[in-house]
Amino acid sequence: MSADPSPVSTIEPAPLLERHRGTLDKALDAIRTRAYWTPYPEHPKAYADAEEGRAAFEALLGHRFALDQPGTDEWTGGERSPYGIELGVTYPHPDPDVLLPAMRAAMPRWRDAGPEARAMVCLEILARINARTHEFAHAVMHTSGQAFTMAFQAGGPHAQDRGLEAVAYAYVEQVRTPDSAEWIKPQGKRDPINLRKTFTAVPRGIGLVIGCNTFPTWNGYPGLFASLATGNAVLVKPHPRAVLPLALTVGIARDVLSEAGFSPDLVCLAADRPGEGLAKTLALRPEVRIIDYTGSTGFGDWLEANARQAQVFTEKAGVNTVVVDSTDDYRGMLANLAFSLSLYSGQMCTTPQNLLIPRHGITTDQGPRTYDEVVADLAAAVDGLLGDDARANALLGALVNPEVKARLDAAPGIGEVALASRKVSHPDFPGATVRTPVLVKLDGAKPDPEAAYLSECFGPVAFAVTVDSTEDALELLGRTIRDKGAMTVGGYTTSAEVERRLEEVCWEECAQLSLNLTGGVYVNQTAAFSDFHGSGGNPAANAALCDGAFVASRFRMVEVRRPA
Amino acid sequence: MSADPSPVSTIEPAPLLERHRGTLDKALDAIRTRAYWTPYPEHPKAYADAEEGRAAFEALLGHRFALDQPGTDEWTGGERSPYGIELGVTYPHPDPDVLLPAMRAAMPRWRDAGPEARAMVCLEILARINARTHEFAHAVMHTSGQAFTMAFQAGGPHAQDRGLEAVAYAYVEQVRTPDSAEWIKPQGKRDPINLRKTFTAVPRGIGLVIGCNTFPTWNGYPGLFASLATGNAVLVKPHPRAVLPLALTVGIARDVLSEAGFSPDLVCLAADRPGEGLAKTLALRPEVRIIDYTGSTGFGDWLEANARQAQVFTEKAGVNTVVVDSTDDYRGMLANLAFSLSLYSGQMCTTPQNLLIPRHGITTDQGPRTYDEVVADLAAAVDGLLGDDARANALLGALVNPEVKARLDAAPGIGEVALASRKVSHPDFPGATVRTPVLVKLDGAKPDPEAAYLSECFGPVAFAVTVDSTEDALELLGRTIRDKGAMTVGGYTTSAEVERRLEEVCWEECAQLSLNLTGGVYVNQTAAFSDFHGSGGNPAANAALCDGAFVASRFRMVEVRRPA
């Protein structure tokens, strides 16, 4: 790996084009049709490197993670797996006054390469990440606390999908204006005016990606690849507890850039010292012109208010609601909800929190069910799903930080516990804190702006909230999205009218709606190329993954016109 | 005109589609190819309604401009033409607490109509505006101070072009996601998962358009039509000195909306009382989710910092530079620059301000010319262009406000006057303040951050700035764009190397470059569908007219998914 801006190219552009243009074209088709598609298989067995990947991960532990970046002034790190092991990896800590100018200097050549060459390099980076999916799975598992299979899928192919989706959007946005045009304006009997115009997509500057603890790659890749594909340099500031998956990503990106004849400094890592708050410092640097952030509403709001020199894309907290009105597949509904509440012990920004259930009960294919029955049946469904420890460990996750545990511990004090949380021991990781979700009964009919269910309670805590009617549920749903935001909304109903009303609330308040999910798709999961993640139109996020707005302002089009 | 949300439709959707779909398709082609195209002829003789248009304009004077909007609490107005006549028109002043909810209530039906129907209604509005271009020309002339022909063209067909361009961008952005999709995910030997997904473009809320004094329609239409076409309601807050052209626009929009079966309250006018500062109040209203603003940097910055609930698109002040290095058409260059400095008496955001000329002179097809010679020759070219009062009045404009006149009067105190400004009397309007540009010599080789040429001096004031070399000119150009912003950059050179360097500076600092213009195209003019107006990447503007970024965040895509 070399910092020389003109290294000898070892990946020729033509082979990259041969290798990846077809994949890009299929991605472009997919974002147009929104049909199912992925180039990255999600099943671990599709990848041959299981043992190699584990060994590669283990070889990283206890060592420096060298990246050969300019301006490294010390080494920092202190990740401890939610499954209990110390990673012991240290990472380069940057001197921004050295690193940022080096990154800036790498940009003109990257800009001049044009949208297609940039897309091909991004796809090569993704292909190499994909080839090391097993290694990434362990890195994601031991930073996020996700169970291995989820870490493999969500941290591997699904994250890669979201990265590729961003590259596709970035590509199409840049090439909608042609490279050049002849402009010939008739002048009646006189000669026409004839201008030659060229159009160049120019980057904004440095894109700062501020990673999160729970989904370092899945939430990090869209911004990283959208900024890189549009000609920007990208500085990745990982969450201090989830550095490794993004350090691996940066290392691969630097290798590929270098081999393709570009400066590796187009992608750098910024690991911070404990308590340093490096994100805040970097976010205000004039070189930083784009910020992608996933995390708390407090810091997200701070970024939006203060990092005024940058385009700021945020995903923050929200309160996700499921309206339960009626169903023609009661068992399917309960099983689906039980899975949604359990997956990764509820530590997803998309996990349902508030289940709004009419006090008088609901109609089902098994006859009417009272509120209490629905809650009891759901509790039983969760119990059944997680009764076996091996299965529970495969589905749940280790609690990612002490704050999640504190919220879980406090939940029984909020209302009547319909289902208590249970500690699940992990055979391989005795130090892991794996917990099943708690389900708490609350009364939503008493309007109380301070009610516990009206704030995000991130973690394995769900509220079964009584409402006087479906009408009231819809009103509370609208108010919740408007005031608190929502990444997801779920609804169960057999009534065409209620379905229409649910759609109307979600259109009006701008939230993504999943209706009557009873099978193998869950409200908390979205598929790249087809589903939007968030809407960008309610307080939970100012951007959606992925749409035109997510890429369009990451570059600007500069025109040069001259007489032809 | 009716405020009833369900009036009887008199424009059937099908005829609108027949009438306008072909035009939309041609606009979609044009923004892809950037070739010359317009559906709105620019020559006044192409329009039959010259006398009728004048009479219609005159009939408005001295009367109330009725719009039948909800929440009108008084009538306000006090426009005085820069050509000296009092307009005496009064407009509805809104009670936002009544008006904004009415606008909000009009939106669901407009949203449900979908992107194509909205585009067709927008094109009908533009067609009706186009049919009244002569009337608009008088209204623009007597609010902006533009000479009649310019008011006709820039305020008429060219503004309509920019509106149509915004509709085309808005349409294509919304339909890149299909209305619906089947998503079928293979599950190995099991049945595939099959989801039906629908995607709805939902508006953000109310778009506030804050108009400017100099180009009420040209700068107002892009935001107005971009917001309307993406499903939002639009509240137009005109500049207090340029209400009439936008009031006419709002009136036509309300008629068309009403006839097409939508609430006219989707487009409303907000005229403010003298000194009221209504824009500030409206900009902070929670219903306002989009703001388009053209005007001073001070208020633009305030909007960006404070109207945090809204997407804010601004065009602010900048300092436009022309680098003069060498030319193979000296006469053509002088004529072209003379025209650019004179047009509308320099009151364009795109007018060159600083002409950077090497101290040692330049090479030309007429032999070498010293700095003093270039400046003297340019002064003579301006004199020649404006020597005849009739021609001068056709090209110049009336000074739009006392601040412009004050800057013009102060200019001789800044440096050596190479060409003095001259008062031109207008045969039809003795009260008009029409002035030729002043050209002042300054030394740019002394680095002085307080130098007069480093701030925008809006109006007929140009600076011939000496630099030690073209190298220094390029450095000063880069610094000026970076620190002050620029809507336009011009360059004259016969050197391929200097041309390359000029391009590099403009790519790096994100500014639109016109090279070696010597004929009938001027650096201060851009053509819709082909040229970008501003770049959105330097301090003069955070948006370009018109690109994907200008429309993409005006709506959000809401998905509803359900088992198929």
Side-chain angles (χ1 to χ4, degrees):
Chain A
M1 198 177 301
S2 159
D4 176 352
S6 306
V8 177
S9 174
T10 57
I11 307 178
E12 294 298 324
L16 275 190
L17 203 62
E18 250 167 60
R19 213 177 307 161
H20 300 303
R21 179 74 223 197
T23 307
L24 177 63
D25 287 336
K26 285 188 194 124
L28 295 173
D29 273 349
I31 61 175
R32 268 195 300 266
T33 64
R34 318 303 290 184
Y36 172 79
W37 178 75
T38 175
Y40 309 122
E42 70 182 0
H43 201 288
K45 286 184 184 160
Y47 298 81
D49 66 326
E51 277 320 302
E52 208 180 304
R54 174 193 296 272
F57 165 71
E58 285 171 357
L60 295 168
L61 304 184
H63 292 97
R64 275 192 178 179
F65 196 103
L67 283 167
D68 196 19
Q69 294 180 174
T72 297
D73 55 13
E74 64 180 295
W75 294 80
T76 179
E79 293 157 291
R80 181 188 160 82
S81 167
Y83 285 98
I85 61 172
E86 298 287 344
L87 303 197
V89 189
T90 56
Y91 306 92
H93 177 277
D95 175 353
D97 290 333
V98 178
L99 184 59
L100 297 184
M103 295 179 72
R104 204 71 193 65
M107 286 170 52
R109 186 177 180 129
W110 185 235
R111 175 198 72 207
D112 291 346
E116 188 180 53
R118 285 195 293 269
M120 294 302 105
V121 170
C122 289
L123 264 67
E124 177 67 18
I125 296 170
L126 285 163
R128 297 222 197 155
I129 290 171
N130 178 254
R132 289 166 67 179
T133 294
H134 272 282
E135 183 182 354
F136 272 88
H138 291 284
V140 170
M141 176 179 183
H142 287 294
T143 49
S144 69
Q146 291 174 22
F148 181 79
T149 303
M150 180 167 175
F152 188 95
Q153 295 187 333
H158 296 170
Q160 296 150 21
D161 281 341
R162 283 283 177 205
L164 174 55
E165 180 188 54
V167 174
Y169 268 98
Y171 174 79
V172 83
E173 194 68 34
Q174 293 171 89
V175 301
R176 67 195 293 182
T177 305
D179 290 342
S180 64
E182 292 290 314
W183 186 82
I184 302 170
K185 182 177 180 180
Q187 298 290 297
K189 291 173 192 160
R190 286 172 295 146
D191 284 344
I193 295 173
N194 194 337
L195 294 182
R196 188 162 57 85
K197 305 179 177 186
T198 62
F199 302 95
T200 304
V202 305
R204 281 212 169 261
I206 295 174
L208 175 66
V209 174
I210 304 176
C212 69
N213 197 169
T214 48
F215 289 91
T217 56
W218 199 98
N219 277 93
Y221 284 2
L224 192 167
F225 284 99
S227 284
L228 191 61
T230 46
N232 303 279
V234 178
L235 182 58
V236 179
K237 209 303 289 174
H239 192 282
R241 281 194 285 258
V243 183
L244 189 55
L246 290 173
L248 283 167
T249 304
V250 169
I252 291 170
R254 292 175 63 83
D255 284 346
V256 172
L257 283 161
S258 214
E259 290 172 32
F262 300 100
S263 166
D265 298 334
L266 288 165
V267 179
C268 292
L269 187 78
D272 47 359
R273 286 188 295 261
E276 180 186 5
L278 182 56
K280 223 163 175 161
T281 310
L282 294 173
L284 300 181
R285 290 285 302 214
E287 300 95 331
V288 169
R289 302 295 310 277
I290 304 167
I291 298 176
D292 286 276
Y293 168 78
T294 311
S296 73
T297 295
F299 191 54
D301 288 347
W302 182 89
L303 286 169
E304 292 174 20
N306 292 283
R308 301 281 316 293
Q309 84 292 356
Q311 303 281 310
V312 180
F313 300 89
T314 57
E315 184 186 319
K316 301 175 287 190
V319 173
N320 302 319
T321 298
V322 177
V323 172
V324 183
D325 168 74
S326 51
T327 177
D328 56 11
D329 180 4
Y330 188 55
R331 289 292 136 203
M333 176 185 89
L334 294 173
N336 191 283
L337 283 175
F339 187 98
S340 284
L341 298 180
S342 304
L343 187 62
Y344 186 23
S345 292
Q347 298 172 108
M348 301 174 73
C349 58
T350 50
T351 303
Q353 174 176 307
N354 295 342
L355 313 174
L356 309 189
I357 306 168
R359 185 183 311 280
H360 58 73
I362 66 170
T363 59
T364 81
D365 55 319
Q366 324 242 314
R369 286 289 185 281
T370 65
Y371 164 82
D372 284 332
E373 285 169 337
V374 173
V375 176
D377 291 343
L378 178 59
V382 174
D383 252 350
L385 180 69
L386 304 175
D388 172 66
D389 271 8
R391 189 166 171 192
N393 272 311
L395 195 58
L396 298 166
L399 301 192
V400 74
N401 63 42
E403 291 74 34
V404 171
K405 177 142 191 314
R407 279 191 292 270
L408 176 60
D409 292 343
I414 299 174
E416 181 192 340
V417 173
L419 172 69
S421 175
R422 166 173 90 79
K423 181 176 181 345
V424 179
S425 37
H426 198 295
D428 301 331
F429 301 105
T433 313
V434 179
R435 294 287 188 282
T436 66
V438 62
L439 183 58
V440 175
K441 290 164 117 172
L442 294 176
D443 192 337
K446 302 176 192 151
D448 170 12
E450 301 299 311
Y453 62 86
L454 286 181
S455 294
E456 188 187 57
C457 188
F458 187 82
V461 180
F463 300 118
V465 181
T466 51
V467 285
D468 284 340
S469 62
T470 295
E471 184 62 36
D472 283 2
L474 292 166
E475 193 281 322
L476 178 53
L477 168 65
R479 187 153 45 89
T480 304
I481 306 172
R482 194 158 55 246
D483 295 347
K484 301 295 172 172
M487 294 301 292
T488 60
V489 174
Y492 289 91
T493 184
T494 56
S495 151
E497 171 62 13
V498 172
E499 196 167 316
R500 203 195 58 72
R501 298 283 310 282
L502 269 165
E503 288 183 314
E504 183 61 38
V505 171
C506 290
W507 289 331
E508 189 67 14
E509 303 302 340
C510 212
Q512 310 296 5
L513 173 63
S514 296
L515 276 171
N516 298 321
L517 296 184
T518 54
V521 170
Y522 305 96
V523 66
N524 30 352
Q525 293 179 324
T526 62
F529 310 109
S530 184
D531 293 322
F532 293 104
H533 174 73
S535 76
N538 69 57
N542 76 0
L545 304 178
C546 188
D547 62 7
F550 188 68
V551 298
S553 61
R554 290 177 196 259
F555 69 98
R556 307 274 67 203
M557 203 48 87
V558 170
E559 175 185 350
V560 179
R561 57 181 187 172
R562 38 169 77 80
Chain B
M1 198 177 304
S2 158
D4 178 351
S6 306
V8 177
S9 174
T10 57
I11 307 179
E12 294 297 325
L16 275 190
L17 203 62
E18 252 167 58
R19 214 176 308 159
H20 299 303
R21 179 72 221 198
T23 307
L24 177 62
D25 287 337
K26 285 188 195 123
L28 295 172
D29 273 349
I31 61 175
R32 269 195 300 265
T33 65
R34 317 304 289 184
Y36 172 79
W37 179 75
T38 176
Y40 309 122
E42 69 182 359
H43 201 288
K45 286 184 184 158
Y47 298 82
D49 65 327
E51 278 319 303
E52 208 179 303
R54 174 194 295 273
F57 165 72
E58 285 169 356
L60 296 168
L61 304 184
H63 291 97
R64 274 193 177 178
F65 196 104
L67 282 167
D68 195 20
Q69 295 179 173
T72 296
D73 55 13
E74 65 179 294
W75 293 81
T76 180
E79 293 157 292
R80 180 188 161 82
S81 168
Y83 284 99
I85 61 173
E86 299 286 345
L87 303 196
V89 188
T90 55
Y91 306 92
H93 176 278
D95 174 352
D97 290 333
V98 178
L99 184 60
L100 297 184
M103 296 179 72
R104 203 72 194 64
M107 286 171 51
R109 188 179 179 130
W110 185 234
R111 175 199 70 208
D112 291 345
E116 187 181 55
R118 285 195 293 269
M120 294 302 104
V121 169
C122 289
L123 264 68
E124 177 68 18
I125 296 170
L126 284 163
R128 297 221 196 157
I129 290 171
N130 178 254
R132 289 166 66 178
T133 294
H134 271 283
E135 182 182 356
F136 272 88
H138 291 284
V140 170
M141 176 180 182
H142 287 293
T143 49
S144 70
Q146 290 174 23
F148 181 78
T149 303
M150 180 167 175
F152 188 96
Q153 294 187 332
H158 296 172
Q160 296 150 20
D161 281 341
R162 283 285 177 204
L164 174 56
E165 180 189 55
V167 174
Y169 268 98
Y171 174 79
V172 82
E173 194 67 33
Q174 292 171 89
V175 301
R176 67 194 292 180
T177 304
D179 290 343
S180 65
E182 293 289 314
W183 186 82
I184 302 169
K185 182 177 178 179
Q187 298 290 297
K189 290 172 190 157
R190 286 172 295 147
D191 284 346
I193 295 173
N194 194 337
L195 293 182
R196 186 161 56 86
K197 304 179 176 185
T198 62
F199 302 95
T200 305
V202 306
R204 280 211 170 263
I206 295 175
L208 175 66
V209 174
I210 304 176
C212 69
N213 196 169
T214 48
F215 289 91
T217 56
W218 200 98
N219 276 94
Y221 285 1
L224 191 167
F225 284 99
S227 283
L228 191 61
T230 47
N232 302 280
V234 178
L235 182 58
V236 179
K237 208 303 287 173
H239 191 283
R241 281 193 285 259
V243 183
L244 189 54
L246 290 174
L248 283 167
T249 305
V250 169
I252 291 169
R254 292 175 64 82
D255 285 346
V256 172
L257 283 162
S258 215
E259 291 172 32
F262 299 100
S263 166
D265 299 333
L266 288 165
V267 179
C268 292
L269 187 78
D272 47 358
R273 286 189 294 263
E276 179 186 8
L278 182 57
K280 223 162 175 163
T281 310
L282 293 173
L284 300 182
R285 290 285 301 214
E287 299 95 331
V288 169
R289 301 295 309 278
I290 304 166
I291 298 176
D292 286 275
Y293 167 76
T294 311
S296 72
T297 296
F299 192 54
D301 288 348
W302 183 89
L303 286 169
E304 291 175 22
N306 292 283
R308 302 282 313 293
Q309 84 291 357
Q311 302 282 309
V312 180
F313 300 89
T314 57
E315 185 187 319
K316 301 174 288 191
V319 173
N320 302 320
T321 299
V322 177
V323 172
V324 183
D325 168 74
S326 51
T327 177
D328 57 11
D329 180 4
Y330 188 54
R331 290 292 134 203
M333 177 185 88
L334 295 173
N336 191 282
L337 283 175
F339 187 98
S340 285
L341 298 180
S342 303
L343 187 62
Y344 185 24
S345 292
Q347 298 172 107
M348 300 174 75
C349 58
T350 52
T351 303
Q353 174 176 308
N354 295 343
L355 313 175
L356 309 190
I357 306 168
R359 186 183 309 281
H360 58 72
I362 66 170
T363 60
T364 82
D365 55 320
Q366 324 243 317
R369 285 290 187 276
T370 65
Y371 164 82
D372 284 333
E373 285 168 339
V374 174
V375 175
D377 291 344
L378 178 59
V382 174
D383 252 350
L385 180 69
L386 305 175
D388 171 67
D389 271 9
R391 188 165 171 195
N393 272 312
L395 196 57
L396 298 166
L399 301 192
V400 74
N401 62 42
E403 292 75 34
V404 172
K405 178 143 191 315
R407 279 192 292 270
L408 175 61
D409 291 344
I414 298 174
E416 181 191 339
V417 173
L419 172 70
S421 175
R422 168 173 89 78
K423 180 178 186 339
V424 179
S425 37
H426 199 295
D428 300 332
F429 302 104
T433 313
V434 179
R435 294 288 187 281
T436 68
V438 61
L439 183 58
V440 176
K441 289 162 114 174
L442 293 176
D443 192 336
K446 301 176 192 150
D448 170 11
E450 302 298 313
Y453 62 86
L454 285 182
S455 293
E456 188 187 56
C457 188
F458 187 82
V461 181
F463 300 118
V465 181
T466 52
V467 286
D468 284 341
S469 62
T470 296
E471 185 62 37
D472 284 2
L474 292 165
E475 193 282 322
L476 178 53
L477 167 65
R479 187 154 45 90
T480 304
I481 305 171
R482 196 157 54 245
D483 295 347
K484 301 294 171 172
M487 294 301 292
T488 61
V489 175
Y492 289 91
T493 184
T494 56
S495 152
E497 172 62 13
V498 172
E499 195 168 317
R500 204 194 57 72
R501 298 284 308 284
L502 270 165
E503 288 184 313
E504 184 62 38
V505 171
C506 289
W507 289 331
E508 190 67 15
E509 304 303 339
C510 213
Q512 311 296 6
L513 173 63
S514 297
L515 277 171
N516 297 320
L517 296 184
T518 54
V521 170
Y522 305 95
V523 66
N524 30 350
Q525 294 179 322
T526 62
F529 310 108
S530 184
D531 294 322
F532 293 104
H533 173 73
S535 76
N538 70 57
N542 76 1
L545 302 179
C546 188
D547 62 8
F550 188 69
V551 297
S553 61
R554 291 177 195 259
F555 68 99
R556 308 275 66 204
M557 202 49 85
V558 170
E559 175 185 350
V560 179
R561 57 181 187 170
R562 39 168 79 77

